[in-house]
Amino acid sequence: MDIGKLPNDVLKENILNRFEIKNREVLVGPSLGEDCAAISFGDDVCVLTTDPITAATKNIGELAVNINLNDIASSGTKPLGVLVTMLIPPTESIDNIKRIVEEINETCIRHGVDVLGGHTEVTDAVNRIIISVTAIGKGKKDKFVKTGGAEVGDDVVLTGYAGLEGTSILAHEYEKYLKNKLDGDIIEGAKKLLKDISVVKVAEVAVEYGVTAMHDVTEGGVLGAIWEIAEASNKGIYIIKENIPILEETKKICEIFNIDPYRLISSGSMVITCKDGVGLCTKLKENGINAEVVGKIIEYDRILESNNIIEKLTQPYSDEIYKASVKEDNI
């Protein structure tokens, strides 16, 4: 199998279809595109999500917290805390463990959430530290937002930039290699993109304005997240590729590794559907958040228009970042 998340068709047939929700308090269980489980508590809703960090070896404490808080924020609820599992190889140093824990702590403090607990274990089952975080949030049930809430006629808005997180990871992981091919300022700019991967503020502004669906962009990139929001909503979607914002740092680094930036892991970006995409973009930009209308929710087909050429928008497969790692190993 390819490295990365299981393809959605394989995931659905072999895993998701095995589960049946039996408790009526469960509002959202495991399903394609839905990153959060949701449980009803009267007028309130408790939201939970979990994700590991596997594609990066640097800044993994900060990344692990941020990507999970992004999932919670994308549901329209407030993140409250995280549980952290850390699997540590026997060869790891205590200084590196302390550094990662400090990253986790600093990121939680920055977002006003608590570390609630977790598990640490030294094991020879891994050859580098693996962190998996579970995040918990709470909000009002009438403000809860599903990935699968998009409606025909909605505008599709993308915040941030395509390939944001992946660009930063590649710049950190392969800095020495990239220095032989790119100006140092471009590499430093790409590395600094890591500070922009939180979408908590994006979600706050969007929910206040009014949205039908939100989905943060992770593995599979912008096009993968767009496909997932259509799949979860059981709708079609029409996307104009040229409208998708992308930074020069991302273009240059992806060109070097010969990878598709639109299918590159991209925490820091969010796909949002709403009735008035232009108005939402204006509101987001007033809050210092880049946002563009990139398409429309339609009845059936999933379509990508690029340079006036129409093609089918396909489900996400293995993230492009894993292709870059293979190329680096062969240099």
Side-chain angles (χ1 to χ4, degrees), residues 59-119:
N59 307 108
I60 59 175
E62 183 176 5
L63 282 167
V65 173
N66 270 318
I67 65 169
N68 282 281
L69 296 189
N70 284 352
D71 281 346
I72 297 296
S74 297
S75 72
T77 60
K78 178 180 173 57
L80 295 178
V82 297
L83 298 160
V84 180
T85 294
M86 185 181 298
L87 301 179
I88 307 163
T91 55
E92 194 54 74
S93 71
I94 193 67
D95 285 342
N96 196 35
I97 295 169
K98 287 165 64 178
R99 179 186 59 79
I100 293 170
V101 170
E102 191 56 36
E103 281 183 21
I104 292 169
N105 187 45
E106 289 177 356
T107 308
C108 285
I109 290 172
R110 187 160 67 247
H111 290 292
V113 302
D114 296 315
V115 176
L116 303 173
H119 177 75

Side-chain angles (χ1 to χ4, degrees), residues 31 62 84 94 115 123 127 152 155 161 167 172 210-211 229 235 256 287 295 313 317:
S31 56
E62 183 176 5
V84 180
I94 193 67
V115 176
T123 173
N127 56 22
V152 173
D155 290 325
Y161 301 90
T167 302
H172 280 283
V211 301
I229 211 167
K235 298 291 188 296
I256 287 170
N287 284 269
L313 179 64
Y317 290 96

Side-chain angles (χ1 to χ4, degrees), residues 161-168 193 222 250 261-262 264-266 269:
Y161 301 90
L164 192 70
E165 178 189 2
T167 302
S168 187
L193 294 176
V222 166
T250 299
Y262 300 98
L264 177 64
I265 189 169
S266 191
S269 302

Side-chain angles (χ1 to χ4, degrees), residues 42 117 145 189 204 225 231 275:
V145 180
E204 290 175 357
E231 179 71 13
K275 303 304 178 187

Side-chain angles (χ1 to χ4, degrees), residues 156 158 162 220-227 230 236-245 260-263 293-296 298 300-316:
V156 180
L158 181 75
V222 166
L223 293 182
I226 287 170
W227 185 92
I237 200 164
Y238 194 109
I239 299 297
I240 300 174
K241 192 174 183 180
E242 285 74 25
N243 288 1
I244 298 173
D260 182 353
Y262 300 98
R263 292 194 179 275
V293 177
V294 299
K296 204 88 171 173
I298 58 178
Y300 299 113
D301 297 327
R302 290 156 195 187
I303 297 168
L304 179 65
E305 177 187 326
S306 180
N307 296 318
N308 296 317
I309 297 173
I310 303 298
E311 60 182 279
K312 182 179 180 181
L313 179 64
T314 58
Q315 69 165 317

